[in-house]
Amino acid sequence: MKNAIAERIHDFLKKFHPFKSIDDENLFTIAQSISVLYLEKNDYLFKVNDETHDFFYVVASGAIGLSITSDSDDVLIDKCDEGDILGLRPFFAKDNYLMNAKAREESIIYAIPIAVFKPIVIKNASVLEFLLQSFASNTRNPLDKKNKGKLLSENVIYDDTSNEIQYYQPIHYTKNPVTASTLDIVRQVAQTMTSKKIGSIIIHENKLPVGILTDKDLRSKIATGLHPIDITIDKIMSSPVITVAENISVVEAQMMMLKHNVAHLCVTKDGTNLSEIKGIISEHDIVVAQANNPGVLLRQTRRAQNTNDLKSIREKVTDLIQNSIDKDIPIYHICSIVGEINIAITKRAIEQAIEKLGTPPPTRFAWLNVGSQGRKEQLLLTDQDNALVFEDVSEAQYDEVKNYFIALADIVTKKLNTIGYEFCPANMMASNPLWCKSVSEWQNQFYSWIHHPGEKGILMCTIFFDYDFVYGDENLMHEITNTILKETHDNQLFYAYLGANALENPAPLGFFRQFLVENDGEHKDTFDIKSRALLPLVDAARILILSVGIRNINNTALRFAKLAEIEPQNAVIYKSCEEAFLELLKFRTEEGLEHNSDGRYLNLKELTKLDKVKLKNDFQPINDIQEVIKNRFKLTYFT
């Protein structure tokens, strides 16, 4: 009896790459195994950090949005339509998904079991190459030169050209690997692997490769009791070992591993098992080949063993930023990803610090980034601003608990300084007892700043009202947020002070539309883009988002986007502020990268005429948004 559903699926798939390269018999086998999923609008197929599924997916109808999560909002990166493949990550990689896949409308999805698809694919070179090129070059269809479409759920942010070049370059591998002979004892070889901190070892006879022993072999054959530990290696090694030539490319290595279902390749002089061993390639080496991939940097961060490891990762972030700007990646996307990497580095530094202290935290706590880090706007290496909040404890416990967290913060801030985040000149760091407080102390502190908004209080508000959760118990941060929203609600005096502060820096153009530059000092005749252009927009976004009671949106661009959504009458102004802020941030970032500085001061003589026009156009939204603030908070008499 015919399977009508499977036939319809077969006919559908046959229209699209790579399925059109699969013979009818095998394609029908695939079609019979497929699960049909129905997603309503806004249903998730998978989310960031979800464990990978046993399936990959094809959109049968509807549309699936691919997005990253930033400041609790989904930021759409790409859209998959009919016939598009998504979710290839479990086919090629062992780690979790890097993006969200969410239905943008009612959608029907075909879920293809990898266990069924894989044996068919590895016998079909054209299909295998198509999928590998798709994954490697970050495109859904590498055969379509005009409209490839991004596979951004697999490799975040990089364009097809750079990844194609990268993947077809020779892979870097471990040279002169540790080897053992077939007659060596398993116990001795396992001890060698432990002492050398390696997960595999090539087995040779007369210096020719005959097999490989991996951690997996030890777990499955020795630890289970299947074999005793004192037998010779030849009894449990995997043989034969797959050999390749020295100049193999990244994509070729990945194809060989997939074809033979192995995680290691032995590099020999001529690529056969009849020549001298030169090295070993592991899945890790393929991951390292994607060193500029944000997902890889995040994985490396989680595995970092010490401060130097974290420093090395942060140095790679600078290259990531530069490459992204060179390829015209939107600055907001760069901010989102760099912000997540900065958070991951701080998290790992905290974990390492706890390990160094040797005792677990005595109570719940939360580490917060504040200021530009809290807004995820710190692309360049500037100073660190952070705070720590711990759970309320009894008076008898208080000193001991606080001393523990100050000691912890001291280690963390020193680590961050070594990594490249300089100490805050004003000592606004969690290692300072002033900024390491219990929940109730922080609530009292914010109450004081809000109800006694003198000059110092408003200064603190402009820093500490922009905070982002990093590590610990997020509920502690929410308790502080609840206090802030309660005490600022309809608080006219507070908003008068905060609004006046937001108006202190008007648009930086003189009467004749000339730039207002520094008149003296080290930076004479340069333009202070931070204080004169970025800060007025940051301050405006903060007061306006606070006044409408919106929580957990800290990024300036996102704040303006949210304001445009909830206040359509001012949407044009808010959107122009969002765009201006992002362009100004890009100016600052490019300046910093070019001169290895914080990018704060622009040399106007180095700017093109077009760049100067762009800058001046970005100043008009400052005037517009400050007019909104004046009118909303009745601040004419302050100015």
Side-chain angles (χ1 to χ4, degrees), residues 244-262:
V244 295
E246 290 184 85
N247 61 350
I248 189 172
S249 69
V250 176
V251 71
E252 288 171 324
Q254 200 168 20
M255 287 180 71
M256 289 293 287
M257 287 183 184
L258 184 62
K259 182 177 181 179
H260 297 283
N261 198 26
V262 297

Side-chain angles (χ1 to χ4, degrees), residues 68 157 321-322 324-339 376-377 379-380 534 555 557 578-590 593:
I68 58 174
I157 242 175
I321 296 168
Q322 183 67 70
S324 299
I325 286 178
D326 290 344
K327 294 169 179 61
D328 291 324
I329 303 298
I331 195 73
Y332 172 70
H333 298 326
I334 304 174
C335 281
S336 297
I337 289 174
V338 171
K376 289 184 182 170
E377 293 164 5
L379 292 178
L380 303 167
L534 286 165
N555 178 269
E578 177 189 1
E579 292 167 4
F581 176 81
L582 292 172
E583 189 160 66
L584 290 166
L585 186 61
K586 185 176 181 181
F587 268 111
R588 181 179 181 181
T589 303
E590 289 175 331
L593 290 171

Side-chain angles (χ1 to χ4, degrees), residues 51-63:
E51 291 187 5
T52 50
H53 302 171
D54 295 328
F55 305 87
F56 71 101
Y57 303 97
V58 177
V59 180
S61 65

